[in-house]
Structures are given as C-alpha cells and as structure tokens.
Amino acid sequence: MLTKEALEEYLDIQAEIEDLEHRIKQRKKELVTDTVMGSDPDYPYLKHPVSIYGVQMDDELQARRRKLVAKLKEQESSVEEFIESLPRSRERRIMRHHVIDGMDWNEISAHMGHRYSRDSVRMIYYRIVDKNF
C-alpha cells in the first residue's frame, strides 16, 4: 500500500535499491583463502600446506538484502503506478517532476513553460497529496 512517506522518499528508495544491489554483487566477488594441511596421495604421504580459495557466502545476510530490495522495488512501483493513475496530465507532470525527478518548485514551473507559478505548482502537488493520503 502506498503511503505519503513512500511518495516523499521515492529518490531515497531508488538510491537504497541501487546501494543494496551493489552490495549484493560486491559480496559475490569477495574471495577468501585459507591454508590447510594435506598430504601427498602416494607413499610416503608427506604432509604439506595446501591453499584453498573460495567465495564467502553469508546466505542469511544476502537473503535479507534481497528481501529488502524486493520490498523497496514494490514501494517504488506503487509510487510510479499512483502517479500514472492521476487523471490529469498537469498533475502527472508535476508529481513526476517533483517525486521522480527531484525538481524543486521553481524548476518545475520553468520546465512547464512558466504557465504555472512556483506557488501554484506547489499547491497543486499538495492538493493531490492531501486528497489521496
């Protein structure tokens, strides 16, 4: 379910998804090494050190990260669906520019050809938010 907080945090949600996905990929690249004692397969079975290499897997940590990414992507999708569901083009554009693009009110006004003042853009945004949340 979409909340006002998710709407306001959209850019942070996207940044966190990107960060978590990067951490998941980085974790896969981390090599670990260790040395164990082994012996020759043939007689006289001399003991010697053997280096082993591998990837450290913390399945629980990775699973939590993947679960959080899925939850965040669901919130991201809810915000985008909400904006797309707005009935008027002007409302969709204002919401998209402010929420998704992170523009301030002056930038939105300029981007819309100054047909709407900075204050009218802000008021339209808050009317939409107040009506829906």
Side-chain angles (χ1 to χ4, degrees), residues 20 23-24 27 60-70:
L20 286 168
R23 289 172 186 269
I24 289 168
R27 189 74 177 183
E60 186 178 322
L61 174 64
Q62 294 293 69
R64 282 196 318 265
R65 285 180 177 169
R66 284 189 192 97
K67 187 175 180 180
L68 181 55
V69 166

Side-chain angles (χ1 to χ4, degrees), residues 3 8 10 18 36 55 67 78 99 117:
T3 63
E8 293 170 351
Y10 181 83
E18 189 175 310
V36 296
V55 178
K67 187 175 180 180
S78 293
V99 174
S117 71

Side-chain angles (χ1 to χ4, degrees), residues 94-125:
I94 290 170
M95 294 298 285
R96 193 175 298 120
H97 289 320
H98 187 67
V99 174
I100 295 176
D101 301 333
M103 292 182 181
D104 65 26
W105 307 123
N106 288 327
E107 291 172 318
I108 296 170
S109 174
H111 200 268
M112 296 181 77
H114 294 285
R115 287 191 313 248
Y116 307 98
S117 71
R118 150 196 193 302
D119 290 330
S120 65
V121 166
R122 183 179 49 78
M123 289 173 61
I124 291 168
Y125 172 85

Side-chain angles (χ1 to χ4, degrees), residues 44-55:
Y45 310 113
L46 297 174
K47 213 173 176 185
H48 59 85
V50 177
S51 294
I52 56 173
Y53 304 90
V55 178

Side-chain angles (χ1 to χ4, degrees), residues 7 10-11 13 16 27 32 43-44 56 60 71 75 80 86 96 106 111 113 124-125:
L7 191 68
Y10 181 83
L11 293 174
I13 289 170
E16 187 175 9
R27 189 74 177 183
V32 292
Y43 184 79
Q56 181 177 357
E60 186 178 322
K71 179 182 171 187
Q75 288 177 339
E80 292 168 356
L86 293 171
R96 193 175 298 120
N106 288 327
H111 200 268
I124 291 168
Y125 172 85

